Amino acid sequence: MNSEYVENCDVSAIFFDLDNTLIQTRKGDSRACTESIKKCILIINMAKSDTEKFAALFMVTKLVKGKDCNSQARKALFEAIGFKFLKKLLTSNNVVDDCPPSVYKSLALSILTTFCNEPELATHPEMLANIPVFLDIVQTSDNDDYDDNLIIISEAYTCLQCIAEEEAGQKALIEVGAITKMSEIYSHQSFQTDEALNILVKLVSRYGPAAWGNDAKPFHALVNKIALDFATDQSERKFELATILSALLYSCNKFIIVPGAADETWPQSIYRALYDILTSKIGKNQRDPALKLAANIIELLGVEWTFLDEENPKKFFLLLLQLCAIEVRMQLEDRSFKQAYANAELVTSCFIVLEISINYMATDQLDLEQKEKQSVYTSFKGAFNAIVSILTKVSNDKNRDKLPDSEKVFVCAMVRVLVAWIAQETTAMREQIYSLMPFMFTLANDSFHAYRARKLAEKTKTEGESIDSDISLMGQIDLLRLMLPALCHLVVEDKARDIVFNLKQEDILYEAMNFHWSIVHYKKPPIPKSERGKARTQPEPELDPKVLDDMRDSRAAMVSLCNIFMNLTVLAPKAVENSMLFNTLLKFVFNNLPELKNIPENLVLHGHLAVLGLLLLKQQSNKVKKNDFSICRYIQSTIRFLWDAYNVDESNDPNALVVSLQYKEHWNEIADLWFLGMQTMSGVITIVPWISEFAIESGWAEGIAEMLAKVKVGTLPPNVKSAFEDFLCRLVDSNESVKPVLKKGGALKMLETLHQQYGLPKDIASESAATFLRTFRAQPDDEAYALDEWPAHLWRNSLPKNYRHIAKKVSEEWLKLRFQYLALTPEVIHLLETLREDYLLGLITNGPSRAQWQKIDRLKLRDYFDCVLVSGDLPWEKPDQNIFLEACKLLNVEARTCIMVGDKLETDIKGGKEAELGGTVWIPLQQDEMESDLPDFTINKVTELPEVLPASPRLKRFVHVASEC
């Protein structure tokens, strides 16, 4: 701006009153102003028109830049001019003839940029009120008069940048939609887009997801453009864009962004760019921002994002794991904590990649070859050794409690990734882990209490009130919550369990149970009195995605807590029996379990709380009162969980028992829990007999009897059958009144035969039947006796002396029931007949020759198999590979063209593997199988076998069906 503009603007007169040198502005301002500034303020105040005031502004720009113009002087000048006048210059289109249109606007912005460097003026209410004016200006860069706007736009950006430096300014920018406008500017490649991007990053870094609002379009448009630039730029700016992308991804609202991310280009663009960077020879300045960006996008989109390369999907994932593990070792090995903390942001990013990868690999969705598994394990072990080493140094430091919050957060990050590893790897570095446990619990407890306080403050804050997220960095994450899966494993070990009890950690775990329950048991806000009783015209509003996510996480946390408490209860019964804390926990279960009913999302948690209650009830039975209403509701809810797991009605076969549809989705999580629940319920009704009344009055006992009566012999899995029958036997022992109910349902079978037909007292009948089964399973045959005489001999030894005369008749009844149970069902017969059309079939069974051939003949199994081998006739038995190879030899087939189907991992599957058969198929009937020698396929029942066989077999193959012979 030069002096000719003054002449062109028709300035009629400027008068100076030199005598009035003390201008009344604000008290104290006059002493801080020089004489020239006082005169300028006087001229502005005495201007009789906008034209006179406009002319005086040229003095202001010069004075403000002078070294004598301090903060108070600038403020005095700013208030003398008044933002109303400056706004008029910014927005007015009425200009004097021959005056360029941008003159007024340019002068006003020049004035404002000189004042904006003063924080108090940058956040002046008048300045903030006119942010929309600045935003409108910076959005005009694409207009036809682009060249004329260069200076104006630059000065507008300067104002916005100064405003964005201050917290009040950031808040004002968010409120007027600056995020959306800055996103549009960068997306459209407008003038000075980097300035827009810098302001945007500053805002989202401060406010996080709240800055973006609920519209995903601006975010996707912006990140698509930046990611494309990131992928195509080959200059050093590429790595600046990596840092910017990290900030944007970290700040976004994942509930809004992730659902539509697959339809956008930015995930692929970032993948391509990071792949190129991390597979090239790069230095630290290039690698660090790339690893940080990779961590942020994996945290947002999950590990699946690393598999975008269709030809070799695992390559980038494994590379990233290796790089992060190496980086952790480089930054932590042989270093002090302070040295490690110097690169905390980078190391924490590597922790994120390691933790999420560990959790993903635990789901068994990733098919790694043995060499790849070994490489990953070696990398992990090196990284975690380094982490344990640093944590040990910190835990041994006498000043560890005086660490600043930011350093504690870094320590928590190390603990977080370590416990993710412990939750999956249960043997490595155990002694070091034991030593660290007290320190880790201290950190976790502090973190939990700070996090809980923050969540409570959020819940109780009034509308419009903000929570200062910087009050406690430790409150940003609940480390105790993250430790729970690892703690489930640790408390099984004696030493770790002793540490837990010595530290009274169970008290904090109970606090955590209550806290997570308050989130899971979400209560809707009360209906205003004015709306009560009115008919609802609008559908029930959906819960906020963040609330739903918190509920899911707290549900999982409570399941882990239940597992921890169950392990403590089973493995330290004496400590639990005498503990007031565990008694309080039992009351918690009594009071809260019924609240979970009829909510599908809570089924897994319902089962865990129900079984935890049973285990606690067994240990604390002497403290339970019959007239306690809460226990009545609890028992009813527990019976419901156990009762609803199996039914006949939902089966395609009206005579087959199946897992209920509502349980099927979660059956992997609750199958073992159901069996433990049935077993514990059987024990509880023995100790607390009056609980059996609920099983009778609810109709459960009769329901079990009727269900078992409907089920076809041979279709009921043995472990399920045993669970029901054991429960019914215990029920009979506990309550006489159940007898007619079970008799009506025909459920007592052999036990009832002994009791009713032969007059044995029920307790003697139960003990005799148990003794016989135990001895028969140990020795099913004896050559010194005829086949039918041996069971009779065992019955004679199992029955009381005064009942031994009925041993032969009882043995005949037992054999009849036994072969009914073992008989092939029509479905299995049809399967075998169908398979023989394309396959050779063989049967291999372990056991004494005579006993096994008796079953084979009684069940007419030779009609369905091309060869039958009994181990009693041979020098080998399963899992010896020779018995399998002998079958192959008899059928004249090669082992590699055969598959084996069996229900025992330790004999059938292991033997098939050792014989190097072409495949193994497991039908798991027991719950306590080994975890080694995993089969190639697992099916639920033998009739599912065709699903894993080739559709059009080119070779005849050998199928081994192992039965419970």
Side-chain angles (χ1 to χ4, degrees):
M1 188 65 65
N2 53 48
S3 59
E4 67 176 326
Y5 287 154
V6 179
E7 298 171 4
N8 292 333
C9 290
D10 192 25
V11 179
S12 57
I14 299 177
F15 298 100
F16 294 91
D17 183 358
L18 297 180
D19 292 330
N20 189 7
T21 57
L22 294 176
I23 298 98
Q24 299 302 313
T25 53
R26 273 178 36 172
K27 185 177 181 181
D29 286 349
S30 59
R31 295 193 300 275
C33 298
T34 63
E35 289 300 318
S36 55
I37 291 173
K38 294 174 184 176
K39 291 175 182 178
C40 183
I41 292 173
L42 176 64
I43 293 170
I44 294 169
N45 288 337
M46 295 186 65
K48 297 179 179 179
S49 66
D50 287 347
T51 303
E52 293 178 13
K53 202 169 189 177
F54 177 79
L57 294 183
F58 293 103
M59 295 175 61
V60 172
T61 56
K62 183 177 180 180
L63 288 170
V64 171
K65 293 177 183 177
K67 62 179 181 180
D68 295 329
C69 189
N70 58 25
S71 176
Q72 288 182 328
R74 288 193 188 95
K75 189 172 182 182
L77 282 168
F78 181 76
E79 292 186 343
I81 297 167
F83 200 91
K84 185 177 181 181
F85 176 65
L86 292 175
K87 183 178 180 182
K88 187 186 295 185
L89 296 181
L90 288 171
T91 59
S92 176
N93 292 320
N94 298 322
V95 296
V96 179
D97 292 342
D98 299 325
C99 183
S102 59
V103 170
Y104 289 173
K105 189 175 294 185
S106 180
L107 180 58
L109 286 168
S110 295
I111 297 291
L112 288 170
T113 55
T114 61
F115 288 123
C116 268
N117 289 319
E118 192 67 42
E120 191 175 353
L121 297 180
T123 57
H124 192 285
E126 289 287 358
M127 186 77 80
L128 299 181
N130 287 279
I131 289 176
V133 177
F134 302 140
L135 291 173
D136 288 342
I137 292 171
V138 298
Q139 284 187 298
T140 62
S141 57
D142 292 329
N143 292 357
D144 294 336
D145 56 348
Y146 179 87
D147 292 336
D148 295 334
N149 286 345
L150 290 180
I151 296 176
I152 295 173
I153 292 169
S154 294
E155 290 174 334
Y157 269 123
T158 300
C159 291
L160 289 170
Q161 286 170 329
C162 290
I163 291 170
E165 289 296 324
E166 310 301 326
E167 184 177 343
Q170 293 168 0
K171 185 176 180 181
L173 284 164
I174 292 288
E175 290 174 350
V176 299
I179 294 288
T180 300
K181 291 184 179 180
M182 295 297 173
S183 299
E184 291 171 355
I185 289 170
Y186 192 92
S187 302
H188 296 143
Q189 294 183 301
S190 301
F191 174 60
Q192 288 189 288
T193 52
D194 280 355
E195 281 81 352
L197 195 55
N198 291 335
I199 293 171
L200 191 151
V201 170
K202 189 180 294 292
L203 294 177
V204 298
S205 297
R206 171 69 174 81
Y207 284 93
W212 291 102
N214 295 323
D215 185 3
K217 291 180 181 178
F219 177 89
H220 287 311
L222 173 67
V223 179
N224 282 340
K225 177 63 176 61
I226 301 175
L228 181 61
D229 292 346
F230 175 53
T232 55
D233 196 309
Q234 300 305 318
S235 68
E236 281 300 308
R237 184 171 183 270
K238 188 182 195 77
F239 303 101
E240 294 175 12
L241 292 175
T243 301
I244 290 171
L245 283 168
S246 286
L248 296 177
L249 294 177
Y250 182 77
S251 70
C252 77
N253 186 334
K254 67 177 182 179
F255 304 108
I256 302 296
I257 299 306
V258 172
D263 300 324
E264 303 296 333
T265 60
W266 59 264
Q268 183 71 48
S269 296
I270 296 175
Y271 177 87
R272 189 168 66 250
L274 285 178
Y275 186 94
D276 290 343
I277 292 170
L278 295 175
T279 54
S280 304
K281 291 183 178 179
I282 53 175
K284 178 177 174 58
N285 291 338
Q286 291 82 34
R287 184 179 60 252
D288 290 4
L291 290 177
K292 291 175 186 177
L293 176 56
N296 280 320
I297 195 168
I298 286 177
E299 192 168 28
L300 184 66
L301 300 182
V303 169
E304 291 84 354
W305 168 81
T306 64
F307 305 141
L308 291 181
D309 185 346
E310 294 182 1
E311 293 184 6
N312 193 349
K314 294 184 291 185
K315 182 179 179 181
F316 185 60
F317 169 74
L318 293 174
L319 170 67
L320 194 57
L321 267 188
Q322 293 282 359
L323 289 174
C324 288
I326 291 169
E327 194 67 42
V328 168
R329 291 186 65 178
M330 289 172 57
Q331 298 295 336
L332 302 186
E333 271 187 353
D334 301 321
R335 296 199 175 190
S336 67
F337 174 72
K338 294 294 183 183
Q339 289 172 322
Y341 179 70
N343 287 302
E345 185 180 355
L346 172 63
V347 178
T348 302
S349 295
C350 294
F351 290 166
I352 290 170
V353 174
L354 295 181
E355 179 188 346
I356 295 175
S357 299
I358 289 168
N359 292 336
Y360 181 80
M361 287 189 289
T363 64
D364 293 327
Q365 297 180 64
L366 188 63
D367 184 20
L368 294 178
E369 297 175 6
Q370 189 58 40
K371 287 184 179 178
E372 292 171 333
K373 289 180 182 177
Q374 186 60 45
S375 176
V376 169
Y377 180 82
T378 302
S379 299
F380 278 156
K381 193 169 182 181
F384 285 107
N385 272 324
I387 291 169
V388 167
S389 177
I390 286 285
L391 281 173
T392 302
K393 291 176 183 177
V394 176
S395 68
N396 292 333
D397 189 338
K398 61 182 180 180
N399 294 318
R400 68 185 190 186
D401 296 332
K402 299 176 182 178
L403 288 176
D405 266 8
S406 58
E407 293 184 13
K408 282 185 180 178
V409 169
F410 181 53
V411 177
C412 286
M414 287 191 279
V415 173
R416 172 174 180 165
V417 71
L418 177 60
V419 296
W421 167 253
I422 296 171
Q424 306 305 329
E425 168 53 52
T426 59
T427 57
M429 303 177 289
R430 265 301 176 262
E431 290 304 318
Q432 298 98 309
I433 299 299
Y434 295 149
S435 298
L436 283 172
M437 279 180 67
F439 173 60
M440 291 195 295
F441 277 136
T442 299
L443 275 176
N445 295 344
D446 289 346
S447 167
F448 163 65
H449 288 131
Y451 182 82
R452 183 177 61 179
R454 185 174 71 84
K455 295 295 284 187
L456 182 61
E458 289 176 353
K459 187 181 291 188
T460 57
K461 74 180 180 70
T462 58
E463 187 174 351
E465 181 184 357
S466 62
I467 299 294
D468 188 351
S469 59
D470 293 329
I471 291 176
S472 173
L473 290 173
M474 288 290 287
Q476 298 302 305
I477 194 162
D478 181 1
L479 182 60
L480 182 63
R481 159 71 186 96
L482 299 169
M483 283 183 65
L484 296 179
L487 201 52
C488 290
H489 293 287
L490 286 171
V491 296
V492 174
E493 301 162 21
D494 293 343
K495 195 166 182 179
R497 193 166 59 253
D498 289 342
I499 293 170
V500 168
F501 279 122
N502 289 337
L503 295 172
K504 295 192 177 299
Q505 185 61 31
E506 68 271 21
D507 292 348
I508 308 296
L509 294 174
Y510 177 69
E511 287 184 40
M513 182 79 89
N514 273 286
F515 168 67
H516 287 291
W517 173 252
S518 71
I519 296 172
V520 169
H521 190 44
Y522 176 82
K523 293 183 179 179
K524 299 174 185 176
I527 301 173
K529 289 184 178 180
S530 58
E531 298 297 318
R532 294 174 190 173
K534 295 182 180 179
R536 183 179 294 277
T537 56
Q538 298 294 328
E540 191 77 22
E542 294 184 2
L543 290 179
D544 184 275
K546 180 65 172 65
V547 172
L548 292 173
D549 191 58
D550 285 346
M551 291 173 71
R552 278 190 293 269
D553 184 67
S554 285
R555 234 178 255 121
M558 289 191 71
V559 167
S560 293
L561 285 162
C562 285
N563 283 321
I564 293 168
F565 281 123
M566 281 192 274
N567 285 334
L568 294 174
T569 303
V570 171
L571 298 171
K574 287 295 181 185
V576 171
E577 183 179 348
N578 301 316
S579 169
M580 285 302 299
L581 183 281
F582 281 89
N583 184 252
T584 304
L585 176 62
L586 179 59
K587 292 176 181 177
F588 171 90
V589 176
F590 285 172
N591 290 325
N592 294 318
L593 180 69
E595 302 297 325
L596 295 175
K597 62 184 178 182
N598 301 325
I599 304 176
E601 296 86 351
N602 289 331
L603 178 62
V604 175
L605 175 57
H606 188 288
H608 280 81
L609 277 174
V611 176
L612 172 61
L614 288 174
L615 291 169
L616 290 169
L617 182 56
K618 195 173 179 182
Q619 295 298 330
Q620 302 239 343
S621 57
N622 60 333
K623 299 177 183 177
V624 174
K625 297 179 180 179
K626 186 174 182 179
N627 58 358
D628 185 344
F629 180 67
S630 66
I631 190 175
C632 301
R633 296 177 67 236
Y634 159 75
I635 291 295
Q636 289 166 349
S637 294
T638 300
I639 287 175
R640 199 73 260 171
F641 168 73
L642 296 172
W643 192 350
D644 291 346
Y646 284 96
N647 65 57
V648 178
D649 301 333
E650 295 174 2
S651 171
N652 293 327
D653 182 347
N655 298 315
L657 193 68
V658 294
V659 175
S660 303
L661 289 176
Q662 69 182 104
Y663 283 64
K664 204 162 189 178
E665 180 184 352
H666 306 288
W667 193 240
N668 285 339
E669 296 176 80
I670 56 180
D672 290 342
L673 199 68
W674 184 84
F675 284 99
L676 178 59
M678 289 296 297
Q679 178 187 347
T680 312
M681 178 66 88
S682 299
V684 166
I685 60 176
T686 302
I687 300 170
V688 191
W690 55 266
I691 288 180
S692 62
E693 296 172 10
F694 291 97
I696 300 169
E697 293 173 4
S698 66
W700 186 29
E702 185 175 355
I704 293 174
E706 291 176 352
M707 181 173 63
L708 293 177
K710 288 182 184 178
V711 176
K712 192 181 302 180
V713 174
T715 63
L716 187 62
N719 53 348
V720 178
K721 177 175 179 287
S722 297
F724 282 130
E725 290 185 345
D726 183 56
F727 171 71
L728 293 178
C729 288
R730 298 292 186 93
L731 198 58
V732 170
D733 291 338
S734 302
N735 197 319
E736 281 282 348
S737 62
V738 77
K739 182 178 171 181
V741 173
L742 298 183
K743 185 176 180 180
K744 178 183 176 183
L748 296 185
K749 297 185 178 176
M750 198 62 211
L751 178 60
E752 188 175 273
T753 299
L754 290 171
H755 181 53
Q756 295 294 319
Q757 188 171 337
Y758 298 106
L760 272 75
K762 59 185 179 182
D763 55 338
I764 296 176
S766 178
E767 180 61 30
S768 299
T771 301
F772 168 78
L773 290 174
R774 185 167 55 252
T775 54
F776 179 80
R777 286 168 180 165
Q779 188 178 357
D781 190 17
D782 189 321
E783 295 286 345
Y785 293 84
L787 272 175
D788 291 342
E789 290 178 358
W790 175 242
H793 172 73
L794 293 181
W795 274 113
R796 239 185 325 270
N797 291 337
S798 301
L799 291 165
K801 289 182 180 180
N802 54 330
Y803 288 100
R804 288 178 180 174
H805 62 283
I806 63 170
K808 187 174 182 180
K809 292 182 180 179
V810 171
S811 179
E812 290 172 353
E813 290 281 350
W814 175 79
L815 284 170
K816 180 181 177 182
L817 287 171
R818 173 171 169 74
F819 288 114
Q820 282 180 358
Y821 168 73
L822 290 173
L824 298 182
T825 64
E827 292 82 6
V828 174
I829 292 172
H830 176 71
L831 169 70
L832 295 174
E833 291 173 342
T834 303
L835 289 175
R836 288 192 81 184
E837 296 174 6
D838 290 312
Y839 301 89
L840 295 172
L841 304 185
L843 174 66
I844 304 175
T845 179
N846 282 353
S849 177
R850 292 194 312 158
Q852 299 303 81
W853 281 110
Q854 181 192 44
K855 284 190 287 186
I856 291 165
D857 291 337
R858 287 275 191 101
L859 302 174
K860 296 182 172 54
L861 297 181
R862 297 196 215 206
D863 297 343
Y864 308 108
F865 293 92
D866 298 291
C867 83
V868 178
L869 292 179
V870 177
S871 68
D873 301 329
L874 301 166
W876 330 284
E877 66 177 17
K878 298 178 292 183
D880 192 311
Q881 61 176 320
N882 286 298
I883 196 169
F884 296 93
L885 297 176
E886 180 69 14
C888 295
K889 181 179 177 181
L890 289 173
L891 293 172
N892 194 26
V893 294
E894 295 183 17
R896 64 181 179 82
T897 67
C898 303
I899 66 169
M900 183 275 302
V901 184
D903 60 12
K904 292 287 193 302
L905 284 173
E906 70 272 22
T907 54
D908 303 327
I909 304 304
K910 182 180 180 181
K913 293 281 187 183
E914 291 183 356
E916 298 184 352
L917 300 185
T920 55
V921 182
W922 182 41
I923 310 171
L925 294 181
Q926 303 297 330
Q927 298 298 309
D928 54 352
E929 299 286 5
M930 297 159 52
E931 295 183 359
S932 58
D933 299 307
L934 295 179
D936 298 305
F937 300 96
T938 300
I939 57 179
N940 293 318
K941 51 188 177 182
V942 73
T943 51
E944 295 176 3
L945 182 59
E947 297 175 12
V948 300
L949 295 176
S952 300
R954 297 179 182 178
L955 297 171
K956 292 284 184 178
R957 303 194 180 190
F958 154 61
V959 179
H960 159 227
V961 179
S963 63
E964 284 283 327
C965 291

